[in-house]
Each structure stands twice: as C-alpha cells, then as structure tokens.
Amino acid sequence: MHMTSSHRLTPQRLVLLSLFIAIIIVQSIVPFWGYITVGVVSITLIQLTVAISAILLGSRAGVLTGFAWGLLSFIRSWTSPASPLAVLMFHNPFIAILPRMLVGLFAGIVYNMIRKRKGQVLAASLAGLTASVTNTILVLGLSAIFFIGFHATMGSISGGQWLWILVGIGTNNGIFEGIFSFIVTPVIVTPLLRSSHFKHLLQGD
C-alpha cells in the first residue's frame, strides 16, 4: 500500500506532521540547519523538509509544513532577519507564506504523478527539485513584482535594479538548491518508504 496520496491524517500521521513542523522550527532558528548565509543572501534548505513531508504524508501535510515555514520566515524577518534582503522580501506575508505552501502542494502532486510511471526514486528526486524550483521562482517572482511594481528601494538600489539582483540570486542559489534537493530527497525518503516499520506506523498497526 502506498503511504501518501489522499490518506486522512490519522493520529500517527499527526504526530509525524508535528515532528516535521518541529524540525522546520529548529531549521529556522539554528544557523546552518535550514539556511546557509553567504553575504546578504540566504541559501534555503528547508524546502527539502517540506518536500519530504509531502511525499510521506501527502500534499495536505506538505501545505501545512509549508505554511509553518512561511509563517516562521515572516516572523523571523521582524525579529532576527538573516539579511537585509530577507527583511525586504519576507516582511510581506504574501511573499513569505504563499510560495512555501505551494512548495508542499506541488511536491506532493509531482511525487504521486511520477511514482505511478517511473517509480519512487525518480519521483522523490523530481518532487525535491519541484519544491526547490517552486520556492525560488515564486519567492523571487513575487519579490520582483513588489520591488519593481511598487518602486521599493534600499539605499541607492532602485526598483529596476532589483530585477538583476533577483535574477542573480535565482541563478546561483537556485541551481545549488535544486541540485541539492534532487540528490538528497530520495536518499532520505526511499529507505523510509521501503521500511515495513514505517508503513505500519503510518497505517496505525
């Protein structure tokens, strides 16, 4: 029996969902667990956790873990921002929260679609890649709309100049995050999917 798809959130699944959210909280707070900061840019790794939750528990759980990540990003932008750019981007709850919810949704959908035709390993890889690409495109895309459309500035940097900054971030960090997620997601997920103990845990046996 496959463990994701549309299964309802049983008590066992709710416990696992809470565990994933707890991991995301730790990743959001502890340096280098969820973000690798390089200069004014923060390279994100938390999309991997959201993708794994969506694969193991379904898209609905992925949306919930994504919401937790986005909410924490929003709060962190006001309390302990990783960079000046994070302040500008994630002060806006629309940019902070919505893309992260869609990360979990799309990762779960892609996994279920690919698994039926190509198997678990490739499906997990593409789900991880989808999570990374979704986060990069939506966060940077919405930020570009905000910066350019509303003429946001930071010091001498005008709204139009933000486009090139965001393209640079998407090219450099997005490629790194995508490769990382593509490789690591199946390494973590596949043993769990094949574990009879884990299957019994999700099924409440």
Side-chain angles (χ1 to χ4, degrees):
M1 177 181 293
H2 182 58
M3 297 184 297
T4 60
S5 67
S6 59
H7 287 197
R8 61 190 178 87
L9 288 176
T10 62
Q12 292 83 4
R13 288 169 178 265
L14 286 173
V15 170
L16 289 173
L17 176 60
S18 299
L19 177 61
F20 276 113
I21 292 175
I23 292 172
I24 288 173
I25 292 173
V26 172
Q27 287 181 301
S28 298
I29 296 173
V30 179
F32 302 109
W33 279 47
Y35 299 89
I36 300 175
T37 302
V38 180
V40 298
V41 176
S42 191
I43 299 173
T44 308
L45 304 179
I46 303 179
Q47 78 279 346
L48 179 64
T49 306
V50 175
I52 292 172
S53 73
I55 292 170
L56 297 178
L57 302 176
S59 295
R60 179 166 54 176
V63 170
L64 292 174
T65 54
F67 173 79
W69 176 23
L71 182 61
L72 287 165
S73 296
F74 175 69
I75 294 172
R76 189 168 179 242
S77 74
W78 291 93
T79 59
S80 56
S83 69
L85 188 59
V87 173
L88 284 176
M89 293 169 69
F90 298 131
H91 267 19
N92 186 330
F94 189 69
I95 297 174
I97 297 174
L98 178 61
R100 274 64 190 276
M101 294 175 68
L102 294 178
V103 164
L105 176 64
F106 293 160
I109 291 173
V110 167
Y111 176 78
N112 286 321
M113 289 177 59
I114 302 300
R115 176 190 60 83
K116 297 174 182 178
R117 293 178 290 179
K118 299 296 183 179
Q120 293 177 343
V121 175
L122 181 59
S125 290
L126 292 177
L129 178 62
T130 297
S132 177
V133 171
T134 299
N135 182 60
T136 298
I137 290 178
L138 291 184
V139 169
L140 297 183
L142 291 174
S143 297
I145 293 172
F146 174 74
F147 291 146
I148 297 171
F150 294 94
H151 306 289
T153 61
M154 183 174 72
S156 60
I157 303 176
S158 66
Q161 292 171 309
W162 279 117
L163 178 60
W164 297 107
I165 294 175
L166 295 174
V167 167
I169 294 172
T171 300
N172 296 323
N173 300 341
I175 291 174
F176 170 81
E177 292 172 6
I179 294 173
F180 178 87
S181 297
F182 184 87
I183 295 173
V184 175
T185 302
V187 172
I188 297 174
V189 164
T190 303
L192 293 174
L193 291 172
R194 294 174 178 173
S195 167
S196 59
H197 177 74
F198 194 76
K199 291 179 182 179
H200 292 158
L201 174 63
L202 289 186
Q203 294 167 12
D205 295 344

